Amino acid sequence: MNIRTEIIAVGSELLLGQIVNSNAQFLSKELAELGMNVYYHTVVGDNPTRLEQAIKIAKERSNIIIFTGGLGPTKDDLTKETISKSLGKELIFDQAALESIEQYFVQTKRIMSENNKKQALVLDGSYILKNDYGMAPGMALEVDHTIYMLLPGPPSEMKPMFQNYGREYFQNQLGFQEKIISRVLRFFGIGESQLETDIQDIIDEQINPTVAPLASEGEVTLRLTAKHVDEEVANQLLNELEQKIHARVGEYLYGYEQTTLAQELKTLLIDKQKTISAAESLTGGMFSEQLTALEGSSQFLKGSIISYSNEMKAQILNVSKQTLDEYGAVSEQCAKEMAEQVRKISNSDIGISFTGVAGPEPHEGQPVGTVFIGISIKDSETKIYPFHFAGSRKGIRVRTVKYGCHYLVKLLSEIE
């Protein structure tokens, strides 16, 4: 079968620029791994006439058509109804989906409005894709040698639905024999262009496994994907490729799959039985928010002080007036005292401080992007890390927090 895939995203908010069509990007990557060629991306608003036209065009040029969005309970959620009309397929209630929706309203002690039942409607004869994170199920149906798959619009529902059920449907329906195994390697402290340069020959030679780089907010990930009828062989191919990559850029590798620097930091703090406290100026609590978002943070996080003004630095953190007058708040000296004082005040094993200029204007004669991170570990010399970041105010703050986690991970890894 010559696979010609088209993704049709339904939603006026996409055309208005209110949200980014991240679903199409995600699906294109997933489908490429399955060996399914995506030829077209289409975006259409919540208008049945225009959606009918989009379906008519897609039928003529594609034999797999995947829809995202328009499965909800409101009047403008018309994807199922329009496809039903276009294919001449009746909509029927899926009993399991209906019971799941009803149970949700019972559990949340809310009254279920009649229009919510609409979410349980499916195309007659379709294969149901369970929605583990929402209400409306997805579905897949083959009509006249063309496969139609309907997925919800919210990425939090669509992504797990496709990964858990959609991929398997295509593998079974299209007769794929090969097992497809992926592994995500996460790097920090090296830019995407430098990482690609360091492994350029590996990327150029890729056939199976493949390597796909992706940069995101100061981090770089490599997605390695291997195909083989034997899962063990596929994993061995991944291991061999990872070893080659590790030999080049292994010092920047910090984790796998969906982990984060904060998650790795949490693991080390618990393993090493260390507590931490933070003194945050330019980050305004972002570091502490990253840690408290993780389960079990009370085991290692003593507390946080957001000392945005010099007055707070002096009165709450006991940063000396001489330091603030002579060196300023954006200085190595201030970062050092902030880290040491918050550790002492909270009686924690580690104190970390963040001070700098996020912008948009210079401060204390220091240019935007000037940042100092201080790390004070009990019975050790305080370390100061100076930076000169570029980018937006948000970007500078995000990178500051990530570098704080990064250096904490490195220092904790050295502790016996």
Side-chain angles (χ1 to χ4, degrees):
M1 180 182 183
N2 179 23
I3 297 171
R4 304 182 305 279
T5 307
E6 180 159 352
I7 299 170
I8 300 179
V10 183
S12 297
E13 65 276 10
L14 294 164
L15 294 172
L16 293 169
Q18 294 172 345
I19 62 171
V20 176
N21 189 11
S22 60
N23 284 345
Q25 179 189 38
F26 168 82
L27 285 170
S28 288
K29 290 179 182 176
E30 292 288 319
L31 294 166
E33 286 187 9
L34 288 168
M36 297 170 62
N37 299 316
V38 178
Y39 284 10
Y40 305 100
H41 281 188
T42 298
V43 180
V44 62
D46 301 309
N47 181 287
T49 302
R50 289 195 284 274
L51 180 54
E52 280 182 37
Q53 292 170 346
I55 294 169
K56 183 179 179 181
I57 293 169
K59 279 183 187 179
E60 294 172 354
R61 64 189 185 186
S62 307
N63 50 21
I64 295 178
I65 307 171
I66 301 176
F67 300 82
T68 63
L71 305 186
T74 61
K75 286 184 179 180
D76 59 358
D77 290 313
L78 297 170
T79 300
K80 285 184 289 195
E81 290 81 352
T82 307
I83 295 173
S84 168
K85 179 181 175 183
S86 178
L87 300 183
K89 289 288 182 179
E90 185 183 356
L91 285 171
I92 61 172
F93 279 108
D94 179 69
Q95 195 58 36
L98 184 58
E99 289 174 3
S100 176
I101 293 168
E102 290 172 341
Q103 187 59 32
Y104 168 81
F105 281 93
V106 169
Q107 288 177 343
T108 56
K109 297 181 179 178
R110 292 166 54 195
I111 297 173
M112 177 176 161
S113 57
E114 191 65 25
N115 64 346
N116 275 289
K117 290 184 179 179
K118 175 186 169 186
Q119 295 183 92
L121 287 171
V122 297
L123 295 165
D124 191 14
S126 59
Y127 177 84
I128 306 304
L129 306 173
K130 189 179 175 186
N131 192 338
D132 295 323
Y133 297 91
M135 295 190 200
M139 65 207 79
L141 181 68
E142 184 171 357
V143 179
D144 297 331
H145 307 295
T146 297
I147 295 174
Y148 299 82
M149 180 175 283
L150 285 66
L151 300 168
S156 60
E157 299 177 28
M158 188 279 294
K159 290 181 180 181
M161 180 184 289
F162 185 81
Q163 289 178 323
N164 295 336
Y165 308 110
R167 284 176 64 109
E168 183 181 4
Y169 172 83
F170 281 128
Q171 285 178 308
N172 293 335
Q173 195 74 10
L174 301 176
F176 294 142
Q177 297 299 314
E178 291 180 316
K179 303 288 184 183
I180 299 170
I181 310 294
S182 290
R183 183 180 302 170
V184 176
L185 279 55
R186 308 190 75 89
F187 300 85
F188 188 79
I190 184 172
E192 181 183 21
S193 58
Q194 185 60 57
L195 186 141
E196 285 195 33
T197 299
D198 290 347
I199 63 168
Q200 191 62 56
D201 58 318
I202 296 175
I203 294 174
D204 290 342
E205 294 166 5
Q206 66 175 323
I207 299 175
N208 182 31
T210 58
V211 185
L214 177 67
S216 173
E217 290 190 319
E219 295 189 35
V220 186
T221 62
L222 291 178
R223 184 169 187 145
L224 316 183
T225 304
K227 300 178 183 179
H228 202 278
V229 291
D230 187 329
E231 189 172 332
E232 236 179 81
V233 174
N235 274 308
Q236 183 57 37
L237 289 170
L238 290 180
N239 291 339
E240 291 170 3
L241 178 58
E242 184 183 336
Q243 286 170 11
K244 286 183 183 178
I245 293 170
H246 199 278
R248 310 275 186 91
V249 290
E251 63 184 295
Y252 303 103
L253 177 69
Y254 78 83
Y256 296 86
E257 307 310 327
Q258 299 306 309
T259 190
T260 63
L261 284 161
Q263 180 67 53
E264 295 300 308
L265 174 57
K266 166 197 166 178
T267 300
L268 280 167
L269 285 167
I270 292 175
D271 286 350
K272 306 287 185 178
Q273 297 183 321
K274 300 294 183 184
T275 56
I276 190 169
S277 55
E280 303 192 54
S281 185
L282 86 155
T283 50
M286 287 179 71
F287 173 80
S288 305
E289 193 279 331
Q290 291 270 313
L291 294 188
T292 54
L294 302 172
E295 292 181 6
S297 57
S298 59
Q299 295 178 63
F300 55 85
L301 181 64
K302 281 289 193 77
S304 173
I305 295 173
I306 301 174
S307 52
Y308 214 66
S309 67
N310 282 6
E311 183 181 11
M312 288 290 286
K313 290 179 178 70
Q315 291 184 4
I316 306 299
L317 283 175
N318 302 321
V319 174
S320 71
K321 186 176 183 299
Q322 181 183 349
T323 294
L324 293 171
D325 290 344
E326 187 173 346
Y327 302 105
V330 185
S331 65
E332 292 187 23
Q333 292 80 3
C334 185
K336 180 176 185 292
E337 287 193 38
M338 287 172 66
E340 291 172 348
Q341 291 300 327
V342 77
R343 179 180 61 77
K344 292 173 184 175
I345 290 168
S346 62
N347 193 31
S348 57
D349 299 307
I350 303 167
I352 185 168
S353 65
F354 304 91
T355 184
V357 187
E361 302 295 332
H363 181 65
E364 294 184 349
Q366 298 279 19
V368 173
T370 302
V371 170
F372 296 96
I373 299 174
I375 298 178
S376 172
I377 299 178
K378 195 173 182 180
D379 301 324
S380 298
E381 184 180 350
T382 301
K383 295 184 181 295
I384 307 298
Y385 302 93
F387 299 94
H388 293 282
F389 294 133
S392 67
R393 177 179 174 83
K394 178 186 176 183
I396 289 168
R397 297 171 75 225
V398 167
R399 290 180 71 189
T400 298
V401 169
K402 287 192 174 184
Y403 266 100
C405 292
H406 170 67
Y407 281 109
L408 283 167
V409 166
K410 286 179 76 82
L411 291 171
L412 282 164
S413 297
E414 296 168 2
I415 296 174
E416 295 295 332

